[in-house]
Amino acid sequence: MKQLFYFFLGCVFLFSCTSEEENRTTEVISPNKNVKVQFLLSATKQPSYTVRFKNETVIDTSKMSFDLQDALSLKGNFEILKTTTNAFNETWKMVWGEDEEVVNQYNSLKIELQETSTLKRKINIIFKVYDDGIGFRYEFPKQENLSEVVITDENTEFNLTGNHKTWWIPGDWDIYEYLYTTSPFSKINAFKDYIPGSHLGQTYIPENAVNTPVTMKTDKGLYLSFHEADLTDYAEMTLAVDTVNYKMKSELVGNAKGIKVIRKTPFETPWRTIQIAEKPGDLIESKLIVNLNEPNTVDDMSFFKPTKYVGIWWDMHIGTGNWDYAGENHSANTKYAKELIDFASENNIHGMLVEGWNIGWEQWWDKKAKKVHFDFVTPYPDYNLKEVVAYGKSKNVELIMHHETSADITLYEKQLDTAFALMKDLKIHAVKTGYVGSVIPEGEYHHGQFMVNHFQKVLEKGIENGVAINAHEPIKATGKRRTYPVAISREGIRGQEYNAWSDDGGNPPEHLTIVPFTRMLAGPIDYTPGIFNTSLKPYKENNQINTTLAHQLALYVVIYSPVQMVPDLIKNYKNNPAFQFIKDVGVDWNKTKVLDAEIGEFITVTRQEKGTENWFIGGITDENARVSKVKLNFLVPNKTYTAKIYKDKLDSHYLHNPEVYEILEQDVNSKTILELNMAPGGGFAISLIPKN
């Protein structure tokens, strides 16, 4: 009888525990059942989550909380008021992009939480689970005891399951212009090569953290990438690393007052994203980041057409010209601008950028001198802005305006209306903005909430005036190009110019075999490919570009942007047969496929040009020579194409013989397999044009 009593008591205890556990746990699974997120409240009733992929844990129990100024932390003592699940499936069209159509399919879970303590503060957590990863965000409802939220820390954890191989850059609060380091997670050291003042931009790294996207490979060969989506009126998220316990925690970019975010309820945070892939190329083909943004809000984008563009830019980096009028050779003059327009018009290039056109460049880097301020409507005496614009239009070449702000936001915002009104009046439909240096007002950083809101103001000015924005020294992309397709491209990367003037040997060959799987997952990149004089002689004898010429051609396909620069001097393109590929290659795409890749080693990408049946292929390698087998099974069956192949020669080498190449031409079809040699630092570019 006593044994029966203990059995009954045990059953009651088991039932009670199970019921309490069920009250604190809920889950959501992806449409294909491979990705599962479990949400749970801990014993102290703190929110946390786990992520599994094909029954393998990829993110172990990770806590979620907020620290607030002059208020108790939002951390524990929560109860679940309500959970809501939903299934969603749509197909939408990109205005411009890597693929014309995008499938947006996910299952969602919304958990509504309330504190059990006196304040009864509320917070909701929303998960969207896709076949290729997850996004989750926090929602702060309007409520009596939490009207204004001043966040001093967001404590979202990402608890890894091992010492993953990681591709990372430091969690700098001002710039992303670093070479990527490849290391085990346990060896991340954001301070290792950090030298204050070593970059053109102001830099600040307060702790051992990485910027996102940060990408990893597990011991079992699974690829993970961590980022954020829909960054709106909030601070950028860097990820502080615990190299001993293999954990990351969101570390928001703040300001000199120690404040990360100030918002009034109701509001939502950006999405925290984890992309999951079994092949590295699947990370690139994923549309998770753009899908987590709201649909297009711009009624008419007909003013912008994806294009290639020439410009007065490379001259200043290699020393053949100056930005400022007081220099020995002011490049931004009417005569040179017209020469570039003529060249562009002759070669299927429909854009032309002029840097150094407006007064203020004499001491643009030295804001403390306060002797010169940029004026965004007044050109230098040797540059007739209206004449250049009119001449370009007569040749079907549009001028791309340039605004270098030197990060003096106070000054730039005072001139936004007049600067954009000038572009509207002249029918200039694109601008490249720049933000070199420390931010004014002092105490703010490039990646904080203040600057996030500034970049949003510029986008809104672009919409108002029919001007597309290509931002340099920007906040990182988070997929907002879906909502605001005026955000056409941005820098946010250690770009081509570092090859011309850095004293550390420039960008190594592996740099651009890492970028597509890290920075490019965030969005389009204005990298400025296509330098033919890779030796930089006779201008920069101690510098060079660490790629072959064929590698430079391939970048027009490998690195995505709807605006691609053709940056080298005119004389280096004229009479060079390789220039034909730049003339032919598309900039707007119907489909994109990654044919083969390994992060930091090589990548081969193919894209089908929108509005045609033409395909283009780009392949690049690191410092190691490789043989690439390219299957053309993506082509239309039973159709013949002319393949024009631009490739390294057998004696090509990025250091010793970078500018030699060969061009082959042959008929191909969907059954063809091309076997191509890539030299050290080399690559290949292929155009595939249907016959007849």
Side-chain angles (χ1 to χ4, degrees), residues 162-178:
N163 190 16
H164 304 330
K165 185 177 184 178
T166 308
W167 293 271
W168 59 275
I169 58 172
D172 196 313
W173 285 16
D174 272 305
I175 63 168
Y176 311 106
E177 296 176 13
Y178 290 89

Side-chain angles (χ1 to χ4, degrees), residues 123-182:
I123 188 170
N124 304 328
I125 302 174
I126 304 166
F127 290 92
K128 290 185 179 180
V129 183
Y130 294 79
D131 293 342
D132 55 359
I134 73 164
F136 62 93
R137 79 186 329 172
Y138 304 94
E139 184 179 75
F140 287 76
K142 189 172 182 60
Q143 52 195 291
E144 183 179 348
N145 291 325
L146 198 61
S147 57
E148 182 174 80
V149 180
V150 182
I151 298 172
T152 55
D153 271 307
E154 177 195 318
N155 306 306
T156 301
E157 291 183 353
F158 301 87
N159 189 2
L160 308 175
T161 58
N163 190 16
H164 304 330
K165 185 177 184 178
T166 308
W167 293 271
W168 59 275
I169 58 172
D172 196 313
W173 285 16
D174 272 305
I175 63 168
Y176 311 106
E177 296 176 13
Y178 290 89
L179 293 174
Y180 281 87
T181 297
T182 305

Side-chain angles (χ1 to χ4, degrees), residues 80 148 160 222 288 307 359-360 397 425-426 431 463 473 491 519 556 590:
I80 297 175
E148 182 174 80
L160 308 175
L222 199 64
L288 185 144
T307 189
I359 64 171
V397 177
D425 181 57
L426 294 175
V431 61
I463 295 169
E473 296 81 37
E491 188 188 39
R519 161 66 182 85
Y556 284 95
N590 184 48

Side-chain angles (χ1 to χ4, degrees), residues 7 30 56 74 107 109 132 138 168 179 194 250 257 296 373 392 402-403 459 485 489 505 584 600 613 627 651 682:
F7 174 75
S30 64
E56 176 188 340
L74 284 166
N107 293 327
L109 168 66
D132 55 359
Y138 304 94
W168 59 275
L179 293 174
Y194 171 59
S250 57
K257 297 178 181 178
N296 180 14
H373 289 302
H402 184 248
H403 291 168
L459 288 181
S489 195
D584 293 340
E613 297 181 69
V627 177
D651 60 344

Side-chain angles (χ1 to χ4, degrees), residues 351-520:
M352 198 275 288
L353 168 75
V354 179
E355 295 199 15
W357 68 276
N358 57 320
I359 64 171
W361 285 90
E362 281 70 24
Q363 288 181 295
W364 64 278
W365 65 91
D366 187 7
K367 293 190 289 293
K368 291 182 180 178
K370 300 186 183 300
K371 293 179 180 177
V372 179
H373 289 302
F374 281 120
D375 181 326
F376 300 102
V377 296
T378 308
Y380 279 122
D382 62 344
Y383 181 68
N384 189 321
L385 174 62
K386 291 183 178 179
E387 183 180 336
V388 169
V389 170
Y391 188 76
K393 290 186 183 301
S394 74
K395 299 276 187 168
N396 196 28
V397 177
E398 296 249 346
L399 182 69
I400 298 173
M401 182 57 84
H402 184 248
H403 291 168
E404 174 52 63
T405 70
S406 68
D408 189 337
I409 309 308
T410 304
L411 174 66
Y412 188 45
E413 290 194 352
K414 285 179 181 177
Q415 298 187 56
L416 271 179
D417 286 337
T418 54
F420 275 78
L422 175 65
M423 289 187 282
K424 184 175 183 178
D425 181 57
L426 294 175
K427 295 182 172 58
I428 296 173
H429 294 301
V431 61
K432 173 182 172 182
T433 58
Y435 295 87
V436 172
S438 55
V439 173
I440 292 179
E442 292 184 6
E444 300 291 348
Y445 295 91
H446 281 73
H447 305 158
Q449 184 184 16
F450 172 82
M451 285 300 290
V452 169
N453 291 339
H454 166 74
F455 286 115
Q456 181 65 28
K457 287 179 189 176
V458 175
L459 288 181
E460 290 168 2
K461 282 295 174 189
I463 295 169
E464 181 184 334
N465 294 279
V467 178
I469 314 298
N470 175 9
H472 282 228
E473 296 81 37
I475 189 69
K476 64 192 175 188
T478 59
K480 291 174 73 71
R481 59 187 169 123
R482 180 187 181 188
T483 314
Y484 307 100
V486 290
I488 52 173
S489 195
R490 68 189 69 202
E491 188 188 39
I493 187 176
R494 182 171 156 127
Q496 187 86 273
E497 68 274 14
Y498 275 80
N499 294 313
W501 46 255
S502 66
D503 57 7
D504 60 0
N507 301 334
E510 74 162 12
H511 181 54
L512 292 171
T513 65
I514 298 174
V515 164
F517 307 98
T518 49
R519 161 66 182 85
M520 199 172 81

